[in-house]
Structure formats: C-alpha cells, structure tokens
Amino acid sequence: MEKEEDPGWYSRTSNSVAEPVVDVQMNHNSKVEPVMENGNAYPETKTIAIENGNLMETQDKDVVLEGLGSIVIYDQWVAPPISGQRPKARYEHGSAVVQDKMYVYGGNHNGRYLNDLHVLDLRSWTWSKVDAANIAAEESSSPAPLTPCAGHALIPWDNSLLSIAGHTKDPLDTIQVKEFNLQTGKWSTLKTYGRPPVSRGGQSVTLVGTSLVIFGGQDAKRSLLNDLHILDLETLTWDEIDAVGVPPSPRSDHAAAVHAERYLLIFGGGSHSSCFNDLHVLDLQAMEWSRPTQQGEIPAPRAGHAGVAVGENWFIVGGGDNKNGVSETVVLNMSTLVWSIVTTVQGRVPIASEGLSLAVSSYNGEDILVSFGGYNGRYSNEVSVLKPSHKSTLPSKILEGTAPDSVSAVHNATNPTRDVESEFDVGQEGKIREIVMDNIDPDPIKSKGEGTSEHLMATLKAEKEELESSLSREKLQTLQLKQDLAEAETRNTDLCKELQSVRGQLASEQSRCFKLEVDVAEVRQKLQAMETLQKELELLQRQMAVSEEAALSAKQRQSSSGVWGWIAGTPGNQKLDES
C-alpha cells in the first residue's frame, strides 16, 4: 500500500477556521506572542504555545531553566523552545525515549513512507538527524536500503531501538523486527524463530518484562486483525497465543499498556466504519480476556491516539472519531479503572491529531510527557510537552500558604482582582485532585496591600478547614467501606465453606455414578452373552427337529418296504441288494 488514506475527520475539526491542507515550514524566528490555551493568555510563564499550527513564545526573563526543567506549568500542553533542524512533518511514526533523548523513526508524509531517524535532546531541546548505516542484507555483507514504513512501533531494548511491523510499499508476508544499535549507529534485521505473525500496521506492541506482546492491526490487504502474538526477546522466538474469553473485536490504531507486569489493557481503535471506546484486559498469567466496567469520565470513541503509562496512570492523547479530532487529554487509573480528564485544548492543534506519538521522560523526579507529530488536516512536526501534577505534593504546598506551580494565569479584563480558587477531590485512596483557576488583571501588578494578604490568608484558611472537613468525611466513608469489606469477607468465607461442601457432595455423586456406569457395562456384557446363548440354543433346537424328522421318515420307509416284500415273497434286504 503506497499511500495511506487521510483520516476522515480532519476536515471537520473543532476549529471553525478553514485552513488549507498543506505542509507548513515553521519559522523559528517567529514573533514572541503570549501563550494561547483554551482561548486565554498566559503572560507570566516561559512556555511555547501551539495555536493553529504556529509557535508563540512568552516573555519571562525571570524563568531561566534548562531542558525539561523549563516546563513549570502542570497539566497543560506547552511547546518548548526547539532548535536545530526539525524532522519532516509526519504521522504514524515511532518514537522512544532513551536517556533524555527522544528518537523518532519513519512515518507517513503526504502518503509517502519515511525511513529517516531523528533525535531530540530533551535537555537542550535540540533536534539532530542520525546518519545511520543501512540495514545489512541477510547472509550478505552488502548493505540494502532501509525500507520506509509507517504504523510501526519503536521500542527501546538493551541499548538498542527495535522497530516492529508497520506498513510498507511492498509488504513482506510476515512481521519484520529491525534493530538500531545506539552504540554502533547501525541498523540490522533480527532473525527470529517460530512462526512470525502476518505483516501489518496499526497494531499495538507492548514491552512486558523480556517479551513483546503484539495485538491486532491491519494487514496489507486491509483486513482487520485481533490475533495475539508474543516475541521472547531473549530467544527471539514467536509464539501465537490462543487466549480464553472474548477478545476485542478486530481493530487497528488502538492503544495498549501493561499494569503490574501482568495485565495488558487495550483501549479504543477503529474498524473500517467506526471507532471504539471499549476497554479490554488480558491476564497474561491466565491468558484470559475480560471486559471490565469503566468508571469516571469515559472517553469518547477514537482511533489513532497515543498512550503512555506512568506508574498506575495511563495517559491517552489525541486520536479522531471520523468526525473530529479529540481535544481532551485523559488519564486512566489502571488500579481502579477510573477515567478523568487532564486538560482540553482548543482549535486545530497537533495534540488533537491522529497518528501522533507520545513518550515519557523525567526531570528532577518529575515525569514529563512528550508528544510529536500527527495529522489533523495538516502534517505536524511540532513538539508538545505536558507535566502531570504530582498529587501527593499538593497538601504540603497548600499548608505552606504558597500557590502551587500548577496555577495558570488567565487574562480577565472584567475582574481586576486576583482570585485564587482551589477545589480538592479526595478519593478513596487518599489522592487529591487539584482544579485551579487564577484570574489576574492584564496590567502588571505593582504591589499588594496588607488587606489583600489578609484576604488571601483567610481564603487559604477556609480552604484548609474545608479540606479537613472533606478528609473527615472520607475517613468515615473509608471506615464504612472497611466494615462493608469485613462483612463481604465473612459472607465470602461462608460461601466458600458451602462451596466446599457442595464440591464434596458432587465428588461423592460422581463416584457413585462411575460405579453405576461400571455395573451397567457388566450387565450389558451379560445380556450380550445371553443373546448369543439364546441364538445357539435356537440353532440346536432346529437341528434336533430336523434330525428327528429325518429319523421318523426313514423308519416309516423301512416299515412299509418290509410288509410289501413279504407279501411279494421278496425280502426287503434282498431287494435293496439287487437294486
């Protein structure tokens, strides 16, 4: 397949401004403008915002940090100050982070597959192209061109990058695994064993321990798949898995993640006619599919989205639903299966794209999500960054009386006062979610009077009391839940005992049934023997009747011959001799 079909939803994205579908060459010396997010400006933070495909940088000389440390806003997508030669705009590429460097390989641009490799230094935000050696042909020392591909997966493994599967112009019969050695800078094709899966693109590839779990995708004939394969990276052996339970329907462009090194989660994806928002879980120990009940703000159907797991949180970004690009960034707590919305963007921005990539890095112990590329009517080569809020640090920040780093500045010309409002939602596991609104006057704040400070302290004190009250209610609820759990465990114990009793009775009945079956078999054998004897008896009786009848006939003939011979003067024996 030489050319990928464009997503059907891009022409109807949420941005009402008509824009041409063209490749945009970004001007890195663009004019400095305020950050635009959800239609509001953020003038006091050094970030790069994305608006209609362009970069806009804020002015703040007070913030001078390096690389990932320059991201000071929580739970919002910002664009860092990128330098260097950017990769060509693309989607359906692969990306992976290794030691503060994000590698981008392949992808689709204007229907053409790519085979270039680029690296973004996350410390200096500088792009550079990797001049990698061509892939070596099998059983030959002469190099062969590296096949361009899209819809593949890029997995970091043992100081290497593994490129698995993907659509190509002239597809092979089975999945190929290519390795880029980060030390030698050379590509090679790994020789695998066993029966490899059929070639495909849009599948999910998840690293679980020392194995890769491959699910679904679309083959070269556009047939959707829902098969399951595992590649052992230590032995390079393929294994096709026939799991029990009901698997997800055939699909491609879905997202997958692993939780607790045991459970594989599959979310969303699309078929030829529709998109999905269902969640499926595969127990990798029991090899059993299940479809648990989702809770919270369940995301809308989508395909072509990207996901990354950070601890027990699974972040999902972008995608489309055949009507619009998805503007919400959502997160799933994989322990409780509760969805929540992290942030929402406005307009035709790269984050609301299909085929974008998402990777995770860290700086000073804080996680950073890094997104690249995508397609929403135009191909993107933009980098967007989001720092998830670390919820465990929020209570201490509030008690210290300082505004948290996630406070965002929003212009509000109608309200000259600064109003900090925080709302906390304490969950069953003691986790706190912060929702912060910060409205300021567009003019610079020259000074703050004592009245403002007292008002702020009173506000924080009231919020603290409200938080303590909420915490008390949650403690009572937790106590009630513990009591309910104890009662449930008691009922469960009784049911287990009853189950054991029923199992004992069942075993006894099974033993008795087996004995009866043996007796029935013996009786059937005796009946068959009796039928055989009966037939033999009837045969003997018929033979005896025939013998008796023959003897009686002979006796009658002898008697008749003797009388007439005597009368005729010829004895019967003499007559017989003469004849």
Side-chain angles (χ1 to χ4, degrees), residues 168-473:
T168 58
K169 181 179 178 181
D170 298 313
L172 300 175
D173 293 333
T174 58
I175 281 181
Q176 299 293 305
V177 181
K178 292 172 285 188
E179 178 186 26
F180 178 74
N181 191 304
L182 293 172
Q183 292 181 340
T184 64
K186 293 183 179 180
W187 283 100
S188 61
T189 299
L190 296 182
K191 182 179 180 181
T192 60
Y193 304 90
R195 185 177 180 181
V198 64
S199 63
R200 67 193 66 196
Q203 72 292 319
S204 61
V205 180
T206 310
L207 179 63
V208 183
T210 60
S211 298
L212 294 178
V213 182
I214 292 89
F215 172 78
Q218 180 175 279
D219 65 15
K221 298 179 181 179
R222 293 180 53 83
S223 297
L224 294 169
L225 307 169
N226 66 343
D227 51 348
L228 185 67
H229 301 265
I230 292 181
L231 175 63
D232 189 324
L233 293 178
E234 293 183 336
T235 63
L236 293 179
T237 303
W238 287 103
D239 186 15
E240 183 174 3
I241 304 301
D242 187 13
V244 299
V246 180
S249 59
R251 66 191 62 200
S252 66
D253 299 325
H254 51 279
V258 63
H259 176 53
E261 293 295 311
R262 174 173 177 176
Y263 301 100
L264 178 71
L265 286 76
I266 303 291
F267 171 73
S271 64
H272 295 309
S273 59
S274 61
C275 296
F276 310 118
N277 65 342
D278 48 353
L279 178 66
H280 298 262
V281 177
L282 173 66
D283 188 333
L284 293 171
Q285 290 186 6
M287 284 302 170
E288 181 177 3
W289 285 106
S290 62
R291 186 174 177 180
T293 301
Q294 305 179 67
Q295 301 181 27
E297 302 177 69
I298 300 175
R302 66 194 65 192
H305 47 290
V308 66
V310 180
E312 65 179 8
N313 294 317
W314 187 19
F315 292 88
I316 302 292
V317 178
D321 60 359
N322 292 325
K323 294 181 181 179
N324 298 291
V326 178
S327 59
E328 297 87 7
T329 298
V330 296
V331 61
L332 173 69
N333 185 307
M334 293 186 287
S335 296
T336 62
L337 298 181
V338 176
W339 289 99
S340 57
I341 296 178
V342 178
T343 186
T344 302
V345 297
Q346 296 290 335
R348 183 178 292 180
V349 297
I351 291 300
S353 297
E354 181 178 356
L356 74 172
S357 64
L358 186 65
V360 61
S361 185
S362 62
Y363 180 81
N364 286 343
E366 293 187 303
D367 300 309
I368 303 291
L369 307 185
V370 185
S371 173
F372 172 76
Y375 182 80
N376 61 358
R378 62 173 61 183
Y379 295 90
S380 170
N381 62 352
E382 299 296 326
V383 176
S384 303
V385 182
L386 180 142
K387 179 190 290 187
S389 60
H390 293 269
K391 301 171 184 179
S392 59
T393 64
L394 292 178
S396 60
K397 289 183 178 180
I398 292 299
L399 294 178
E400 290 169 1
T402 59
D405 291 341
S406 57
V407 174
S408 57
V410 181
H411 276 299
N412 186 354
T414 60
N415 186 2
T417 62
R418 181 171 184 171
D419 186 15
V420 182
E421 176 182 340
S422 300
E423 177 183 349
F424 295 87
D425 180 14
V426 184
Q428 294 181 2
E429 298 181 354
K431 297 182 179 179
I432 303 175
R433 181 177 63 184
E434 181 187 29
I435 303 173
V436 181
M437 297 294 293
D438 188 4
N439 298 326
I440 64 171
D441 189 271
D443 296 330
I445 300 178
K446 298 180 180 180
S447 63
K448 296 182 179 180
E450 295 181 357
T452 303
S453 300
E454 292 177 358
H455 176 70
L456 179 61
M457 291 298 295
T459 303
L460 293 176
K461 184 176 179 180
E463 291 175 353
K464 177 183 176 182
E465 293 176 353
E466 183 180 356
L467 177 60
E468 291 176 348
S469 177
S470 300
L471 185 60
S472 298
R473 291 195 298 269

